[in-house]
């Protein structure tokens, strides 16, 4: 079946540091890949997505590139802010009724 | 446009009690789903629906029932609550089952079963 692997964290960074959260996946076919973000006390919301190999998704300074050769979709940001503190979920969708497979989520803490 | 709404926000139950978690969306989405979120396990799919009158089981359906009488509403029923059902529950919707579709989540219900 499909699966998504990411570290649980927490990842603690100082403000303005460079962020990388690794995500690798296993899937048949050609899934779409997503990063969702969950701020404290809220539901998940879409951060970015990529729907085919070599696509780059970007939003709010975050980027991730769909790498089919390494089955990866790592999330990066050049300079994090305290307001980026949240839990980040990597996910894939191969379509169909079972919809989306989520990773366990990576908690990011950014300290001033 | 309220998106996906869930009630209640918090709930405490005793073992054996039953309750219904409410979920509604105003985006005319066909696909709706319920997840539970537990530490170290991410989100796990409980039940889903591809349209009014159509529901099916996800990864962890035991102890839960759902129904979908309208496009807008997708309630989750706990038949006889158990401590293992202590979790945060999220309802989500998306336009259809296409792999490019974004899922839209409600704010969640934090349930504690004593």
């Amino acid at each position: 079946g499909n699966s998504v692997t990411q570290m649980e964290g927490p990842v603690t960074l100082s403000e303005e540091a460079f962020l990388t959260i690794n995500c690798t996946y296993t899937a048949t076919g050609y899934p779409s890949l997503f990063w969702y973000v969950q701020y404290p006390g809220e539901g998940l919301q879409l951060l970015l997505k990529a729907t085919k190999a070599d696509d780059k998704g970007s939003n709010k300074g975050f980027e991730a590139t769909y790498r089919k050769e390494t089955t990866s979709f790592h999330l990066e940001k050049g300079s994090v802010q305290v307001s980026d503190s949240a839990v980040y979920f990597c996910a894939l969708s191969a379509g169909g009724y079972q919809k989306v497979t989520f990773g366990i989520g990576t908690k990011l803490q950014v300290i001033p | 446009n309220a998106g996906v709404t869930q009630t209640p926000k918090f709930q405490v139950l005793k073992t054996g009690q039953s309750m219904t978690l409410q979920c509604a969306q105003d985006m005319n989405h066909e696909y709706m789903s319920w997840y539970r979120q537990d530490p170290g396990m991410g989100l796990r799919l409980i039940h889903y629906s591809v349209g009014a009158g159509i529901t099916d089981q996800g990864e962890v359906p035991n102890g839960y029932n759902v129904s979908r009488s309208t496009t807008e509403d997708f309630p989750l029923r706990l038949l006889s609550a158990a401590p293992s059902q202590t979790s945060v529950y999220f309802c989500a919707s998306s336009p259809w089952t296409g792999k490019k579709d974004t899922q839209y989540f409600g704010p969640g219900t934090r349930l504690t079963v004593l």
Side-chain angles (χ1 to χ4, degrees), chain A residues 30 36 38 49 96-97 99, chain B residues 31 37 97 99-100 103:
Chain A
Y30 302 92
Y36 285 86
Q38 183 182 29
K49 69 180 181 182
Y97 294 165
K99 279 302 275 188
Chain B
Y31 186 90
Q37 182 182 26
T97 57
K99 66 181 182 181
K100 298 180 182 180
Q103 292 216 85

Side-chain angles (χ1 to χ4, degrees), chain B residues 17-86:
Chain B
Q17 287 185 315
S18 63
M19 78 159 295
T20 299
L21 308 185
Q22 301 292 343
C23 173
Q25 52 91 11
D26 61 359
M27 297 174 284
N28 202 32
H29 285 171
E30 290 295 329
Y31 186 90
M32 296 185 74
S33 53
W34 277 101
Y35 292 90
R36 57 178 291 172
Q37 182 182 26
D38 301 292
M41 305 193 76
L43 276 75
R44 293 182 291 170
L45 182 65
I46 304 171
H47 285 285
Y48 63 92
S49 169
V50 298
I54 306 170
T55 64
D56 207 345
Q57 298 180 351
E59 182 185 355
V60 288
N62 292 342
Y64 308 95
N65 270 359
V66 292
S67 60
R68 184 105 178 263
S69 57
T70 67
T71 298
E72 295 78 20
D73 299 300
F74 190 44
L76 178 73
R77 282 184 289 277
L78 280 69
L79 308 173
S80 177
S84 60
Q85 295 179 303
T86 294

Side-chain angles (χ1 to χ4, degrees), chain A residues 1 15-16 20 24 26 30 35 38-39 45 47 51 58 63-64 79 89 97 101-102 107:
Chain A
E15 208 165 20
E16 299 184 2
T20 300
T24 57
T26 302
Y30 302 92
W35 278 100
Q38 183 182 29
Y39 297 105
Q45 57 186 272
L47 180 60
T51 59
S58 61
E63 294 182 339
S79 176
F89 290 88
Y97 294 165
T101 301
F102 289 90
K107 184 173 184 178

